[in-house]
């Protein structure tokens, strides 16, 4: 009896191992060039679309960079940011924290180009990540090899955006903690905030440093320009009033940001804290001196961010349109 029991136990163990191995083989997770068999032109199509859009609309590259941050930082990289609001659910892109995000229609342009080549194969989550990668190159930043194989989530998570997404007015400790929960260490956080090297900051995000009194921490030589660009203490949120993050090289992702914040020219509170907190200042100074070091840490941090808790295998779906979840659901929904 005992030998038979042992044999049956052995068979069960072998069967379980086989099932586990099959499941792992069926879900390779994120890998380099995930679409090499199913859509070999996918990454080239996305890269070409990003280049074309950048020639027509320079600000698209800023949008792609912001998208990866706003999507992947909120629990996972699953393109939930791109979903429109429904009667029951508010879209993440319509929350206060997403103020200033735009160009979502051009993500659909990229998706349509990919769909013409390979219908129903490439996820919006991968398009979002790869457009960020190629947008970084358009801005003069490094090329970052990124894995693919993400699938799309089916719902927006607007209700937890504040919980997960670091804010420019939070303490540097809170910012470090939120990024740290994703596996991004202090030099990685300092490098990611180097994305403030490009683009612009809307006046509604910084007038509290100008009114009713000017923040004494600001470089007095920089204040007149900020006041000129933001003349109202309560800006019209519908008006396009903003200050360029970097007046010297506003369209280039470079380490000039770090020299600016060391000179107290950072627009946001988090910029000022980054340059003066004892935990982050050494890395700020190092990146101010070396663009190679900035690019190395930036690439590492973007890679970690892009791999934050993705849906893979049979989880989620491949959306037909990036702004809408597919109507037909399977029982294997994401958690």
């Amino acid at each position: 009896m005992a030998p038979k029991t042992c044999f049956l136990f052995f068979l069960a163990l072998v069967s379980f191992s086989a099932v586990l191995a099959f499941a792992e083989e069926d879900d390779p997770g994120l890998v380099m060039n995930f679409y090499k068999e199913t859509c070999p032109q996918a990454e080239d199509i996305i890269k070409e679309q990003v280049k074309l859009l950048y020639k027509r609309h320079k600000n698209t590259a800023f949008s792609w960079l912001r998208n990866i941050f706003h999507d992947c930082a909120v629990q996972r990289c699953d393109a939930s940011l791109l979903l429109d609001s429904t009667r029951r659910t508010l879209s993440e892109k319509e929350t206060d924290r997403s103020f200033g995000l735009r160009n979502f229609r051009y993500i659909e342009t990229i998706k349509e180009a990919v769909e013409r080549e390979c219908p129903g194969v490439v996820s919006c989550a991968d398009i979002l990540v790869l457009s960020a990668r190629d947008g970084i190159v358009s801005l003069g930043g490094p090329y970052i090899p990124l894995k693919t194989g993400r699938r799309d989530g089916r719902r927006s998570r607007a209700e937890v955006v504040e919980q997960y997404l670091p804010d420019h007015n939070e303490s540097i400790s809170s910012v470090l903690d939120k990024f740290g929960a994703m596996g991004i260490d202090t030099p990685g956080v300092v490098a990611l905030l180097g994305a403030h090297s490009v683009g612009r900051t809307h006046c509604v995000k910084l007038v509290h440093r100008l009114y009713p009194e000017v923040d004494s921490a600001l470089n007095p030589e920089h204040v007149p320009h900020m006041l000129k660009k933001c003349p109202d203490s309560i800006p019209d949120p519908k008006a396009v009033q903003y200050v360029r993050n970097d007046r010297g090289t506003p369209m280039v992702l470079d380490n000039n940001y770090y020299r600016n914040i060391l000179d107290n020219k950072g627009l946001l509170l988090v910029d000022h804290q980054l340059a003066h907190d004892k935990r982050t200042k050494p890395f700020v100074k190092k990146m101010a001196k070396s663009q190679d070091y900035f690019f190395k840490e930036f690439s590492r941090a973007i890679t970690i961010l892009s791999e934050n808790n993705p849906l893979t295998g049979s989880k989620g779906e491949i959306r037909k349109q990036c702004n809408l979840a597919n109507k037909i659901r399977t029982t294997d929904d994401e958690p």
Side-chain angles (χ1 to χ4, degrees), residues 196-207 210 218 222-231 240-247 250 265-268 271:
H196 290 176
S197 164
V198 293
R200 61 194 187 181
T201 297
H202 288 265
C203 290
V204 292
K205 299 291 187 180
L206 57 85
V207 287
L210 298 173
L218 286 168
H222 198 48
V223 170
H225 174 72
M226 295 174 68
L227 288 170
K228 180 180 178 181
K229 292 291 185 178
C230 301
V240 184
Q241 292 179 309
Y242 62 86
V243 182
R244 289 286 182 191
N245 290 341
D246 178 358
R247 294 174 66 188
K265 293 179 180 178
L267 300 180
L268 301 170
D271 299 328

Side-chain angles (χ1 to χ4, degrees), residues 57-68 70 81-82 93-94 97-108 128 131 198-202 239-244 251:
H57 314 282
K58 298 294 185 186
N59 60 26
T60 53
F62 310 144
S63 297
W64 310 152
L65 184 51
R66 286 195 71 189
N67 283 351
I68 192 172
H70 279 259
L81 172 70
L82 305 179
K93 61 189 176 186
E94 293 183 22
R97 190 63 67 83
S98 298
F99 178 83
L101 291 181
R102 52 188 173 157
N103 291 321
F104 293 111
R105 65 187 182 278
Y106 296 129
I107 284 283
E108 296 298 339
L128 183 149
S131 63
V198 293
R200 61 194 187 181
T201 297
H202 288 265
V240 184
Q241 292 179 309
Y242 62 86
V243 182
R244 289 286 182 191
M251 303 294 290

Side-chain angles (χ1 to χ4, degrees), residues 187 190-191 194 254-263 274-275 280-295 297:
V190 174
D254 59 17
N255 65 336
N256 203 40
Y257 164 76
Y258 301 102
R259 290 190 284 271
N260 283 339
I261 63 175
L262 286 170
D263 196 26
L274 200 70
T280 53
K281 186 174 182 178
F283 301 108
V284 170
K285 294 174 73 173
K286 192 171 180 179
M287 290 179 198
K289 291 179 180 178
S290 172
Q291 181 146 291
D292 287 342
Y293 176 66
F294 163 47
F295 279 178
E297 291 297 330

